[in-house]
Amino acid sequence: MKRSMYFAVFAFIVAIIAGIIVYFNGYFYPEKYVKNDEGEYVNVTVEAKTDPFPIDKSTRFIIEHYYADENRTLSEQIDSIPILLGCNKDDVMAYLKDYMDRIPHDEQEKGLVSYQMISYKDQIITLRKTYKKQEFTGYYAKSFNGTIVILNGDEKTVFEYTQIGVETLPEEMQEQIIAGIYLENDEALYSFLENYSS
C-alpha cells in the first residue's frame, strides 16, 4: 500500500514538472510549426512577426530617395504616415498609385518617376521614390504682355522674346497661343517665326 502511494506521489510530481517544462518551453520558445502547401514545416510564429500589416502606431517607415542620374540614394526614417494607419498591403499599394496619379507640383519639378514599396519586415516598411531629370525637347510659343515669347521645352526658360504681336495672328491661333503652341524642333520654330514675323 505504501509502495503504491509513493508511486502515485512520484507520478504526480513528475506530471507537475513535465507540465511546468511544457509551459515554460512554450512561453520562452513560442515557435509553432505547421505544414504548408509544399509539404514543408514552417514556423508560423516567426512568419507572423515579419508582416507589419495592418499598419499601426508601432510601424516605422524608411523613405528612400533614389536619384537615378547620379546613382545616389538618401534615406530617412519617419515614425508614421497617418493616412496609412490601419491599412493592409493592398491599401498601401493603392496609396502609392494614387500618389503617382496626383504627383505634387514640387515632386514633379524634382523629376519623380516612381513611388514603390520595396520591402516590409517586422514593423518596418521601406518605400522608394525614384527621381530622374526630365529631358525637354522642342519649344513653346506663348503669349506674354501682348507679344509672343518662345520658351524652351520645359515651358519655364525663355529662349527668345519676339516682337510678334498676338493680335497679328489668325483668330484661332490667338486662342491657342494662350495655352502655348508646341514647336517640336528648330525647323518648326524658324518656320513659325518666318510665317508670323512682320
Side-chain angles (χ1 to χ4, degrees):
M1 181 77 176
K2 269 186 175 181
R3 203 169 165 172
S4 61
M5 180 110 125
Y6 286 135
F7 182 78
V9 170
F10 176 75
F12 180 74
I13 291 170
V14 168
I16 288 174
I17 292 171
I20 290 170
I21 290 170
V22 168
Y23 173 80
F24 280 105
N25 188 49
Y27 183 81
F28 289 109
Y29 304 100
E31 288 86 11
K32 187 174 181 183
Y33 291 87
V34 294
K35 206 173 198 181
N36 65 15
D37 296 336
E38 289 82 38
E40 302 167 333
Y41 282 93
V42 180
N43 185 336
V44 292
T45 308
V46 171
E47 280 192 343
K49 288 179 186 172
T50 63
D51 188 352
F53 303 108
I55 294 170
D56 59 28
K57 289 182 179 179
S58 64
T59 306
R60 298 290 170 261
F61 293 87
I62 294 174
I63 311 292
E64 292 185 353
H65 301 268
Y66 175 61
Y67 298 90
D69 299 308
E70 304 161 25
N71 195 22
R72 178 172 60 106
T73 303
L74 300 175
S75 297
E76 64 176 322
Q77 183 170 335
I78 56 176
D79 291 337
S80 70
I81 299 176
I83 197 169
L84 295 179
L85 279 174
C87 290
N88 61 28
K89 184 179 175 185
D90 292 336
D91 296 332
V92 173
M93 300 303 280
Y95 163 77
L96 297 174
K97 181 184 181 310
D98 187 55
Y99 190 93
M100 288 306 296
D101 289 343
R102 304 175 196 191
I103 302 175
H105 184 69
D106 62 323
E107 293 277 52
Q108 279 181 344
E109 288 190 336
K110 288 194 275 184
L112 180 68
V113 293
S114 74
Y115 192 13
Q116 301 171 312
M117 178 167 55
I118 58 170
S119 71
Y120 54 89
K121 185 175 182 183
D122 299 329
Q123 289 301 102
I124 297 175
I125 296 175
T126 304
L127 305 174
R128 178 181 288 167
K129 290 181 175 184
T130 301
Y131 299 92
K132 192 170 168 69
K133 288 180 185 170
Q134 295 176 317
E135 293 179 14
F136 298 101
T137 59
Y139 306 91
Y140 281 89
K142 285 196 171 188
S143 167
F144 180 74
N145 287 342
T147 60
I148 295 172
V149 175
I150 305 300
L151 303 174
N152 285 319
D154 62 1
E155 294 190 73
K156 294 177 189 171
T157 314
V158 175
F159 177 75
E160 182 181 344
Y161 290 98
T162 74
Q163 299 301 315
I164 304 169
V166 174
E167 73 281 348
T168 64
L169 300 175
E171 250 182 71
E172 60 186 48
M173 190 168 275
Q174 288 180 27
E175 293 174 14
Q176 291 174 6
I177 208 81
I178 293 168
I181 296 174
Y182 178 65
L183 307 163
E184 61 186 14
N185 52 33
D186 290 346
E187 189 179 313
L189 170 63
Y190 296 127
S191 173
F192 175 85
L193 293 174
E194 277 180 23
N195 287 338
Y196 298 107
S197 294
S198 51

